[in-house]
Structures are given as C-alpha cells and as structure tokens.
Amino acid sequence: AQSVTQPDIHITVSEGASLELRCNYSYGATPYLFWYVQSPGQGLQLLLKYFSGDTLVQGIKGFEAEFKRSQSSFNLRKPSVHWSDAAEYFCAVGFAGGGGADGLTFGKGTHLIIQP
Amino acid sequence: DAGVTQSPTHLIKTRGQQVTLRCSPKSGHDTVSWYQQALGQGPQFIFQYYEEEERQRGNFPDRFSGHQFPNYSSELNVNALLLGDSALYLCASSSRGGGYEQYFGPGTRLTVT
C-alpha cells in the first residue's frame, strides 16, 4: 500500500528566510504528486502538482517542488517566506486509474510557523 | 465560477444517530471524492463517485455510504455514529479525463457527543 511521510511535524522559519518542507513516498508505480496548503478551519488549496515531464514544478504563491525519483521525494521550497505562509502543508500522492484521478493518500502534514 | 461547496458548515450529533453531508462539485467536474480529516491528521480517503456509482473505496466501514446525483452533486451518509467519527469531512471534485488534480471544498465539521 502506498504511504506518504512528512518527517517534520513543525517547522519555524523567520520571515524572509528560505523554506524547504520534506515529503517522501512509498508507491508501487510512478505516482502523481501534490502539495496542498490548509489554513485554520478551511479546506485544502492546491499549491502545485507533478504528473510527468520536468521534475521541477512551479506553483502558486511563489512555491516550487522538485520530484526526485531516486529518493522517492517531492520536497516543497520557497526562497523567501511571508507571514501569510503560516499554515498546515500536506503532501499527497495518487495514481491515475480508469482514466481519472484515484483517491489521494496524504501525509500527516507539516505545521509552518513564521517568526517576525 | 463556483468552486466546491459543502453543507452544512458545522453539525453536532449524538452517538448512534445518522448524518448526511452534501457536496456540489466545481463547475465542469463529474467526479466527487470524500475524505475524513481527524484533528491534527492528514485527510483520509473514504470513497469516490463517478457516473452515480462508487468507483473506489478507502479503508472505512460500511457505516459510511454515499450517493451521487445526475447533476454530479453527492451525499455522504454515516450511520450509527461513534465518538471517533468526529472530524472535518472534505469533499473534492475532479474531471475524469480532464486532469488528475482534485479541488477541495471548505469541509463540514462534524462533532459527535
């Protein structure tokens, strides 16, 4: 069965500093990969996605992620964080079956705290 | 363009009762997936509906059932509620054949007392 590991439960970063959130997955086939962000009491917003092709993908709000097949990783990065980036971040993996998107498997999330 | 909508926003039920949650997908989407998010955890996949049929199911008991209507909207039903069913229930929609990304609604917060 597939699984997703986000090893950092909490990360604290100073405003303006760079950010990297880690995500490792275990999957039998080449998955498709996502990062979502969740603000308190809200649903999930899609930041970026990887299906195939270029392993460095750009997303919204200045985020990017790099797919490394050899390391089974899909780490999220941002060169300079803003206070509004404080939120819960989830990595998710899935598989395309039957022509559509299958149910996603999520990690437990990383809580990002921004210090002024 | 309306996104995914869910109702109600919050719900309080008693153990043993039954509950129905509702979801309207994003315009142009035909597939609805339901997830349960317990406090402090990532969402867990419950099941997915396409063409009014359950197409895929996660590791949830039969107490969890669903339905999809001809207009693609969906319901999640939970019978014989347990305290452990307290969670945020998220609906996500996608377009079969139109890409693999799923768009989430704001969720329904269910509290079982």
Side-chain angles (χ1 to χ4, degrees), chain A residues 15 30 76 85 87 100:
Chain A
E15 190 169 14
T30 301
L76 181 71
D85 292 325

Side-chain angles (χ1 to χ4, degrees), chain A residues 25-43:
Chain A
Y25 65 90
S26 172
Y27 210 83
T30 301
Y32 52 94
L33 299 153
F34 303 93
W35 276 97
Y36 285 89
V37 61
Q38 186 177 37
S39 297
Q42 297 191 14

Side-chain angles (χ1 to χ4, degrees), chain B residues 17-93:
Chain B
Q17 287 187 317
Q18 178 264 344
V19 68
T20 298
L21 311 181
R22 295 175 177 82
C23 170
S24 291
K26 183 178 168 66
S27 178
H29 286 183
D30 55 13
T31 302
V32 173
S33 302
W34 286 92
Y35 294 81
Q36 180 195 66
Q37 185 179 20
L39 201 61
Q41 301 295 315
Q44 284 195 292
F45 174 67
I46 302 175
F47 44 53
Q48 183 181 87
Y49 276 83
Y50 170 69
E51 290 188 331
E52 303 179 45
E53 291 188 11
E54 183 183 296
R55 299 291 178 168
Q56 192 186 17
R57 189 178 183 93
N59 189 25
F60 278 80
D62 292 345
R63 297 188 297 109
F64 290 77
S65 63
H67 189 77
Q68 186 179 34
F69 299 93
N71 67 352
Y72 308 120
S73 67
S74 176
E75 289 182 348
L76 164 65
N77 301 292
V78 186
N79 295 321
L81 284 167
L82 305 174
L83 294 179
D85 295 332
S86 295
L88 180 68
Y89 287 84
L90 295 163
C91 168
S93 73

Side-chain angles (χ1 to χ4, degrees), chain A residues 5-23:
Chain A
T5 302
Q6 293 181 247
D8 303 305
I9 299 173
H10 300 277
I11 281 188
T12 301
V13 178
S14 297
E15 190 169 14
S18 64
L19 170 71
E20 182 169 29
L21 302 183
R22 296 182 290 165
C23 172

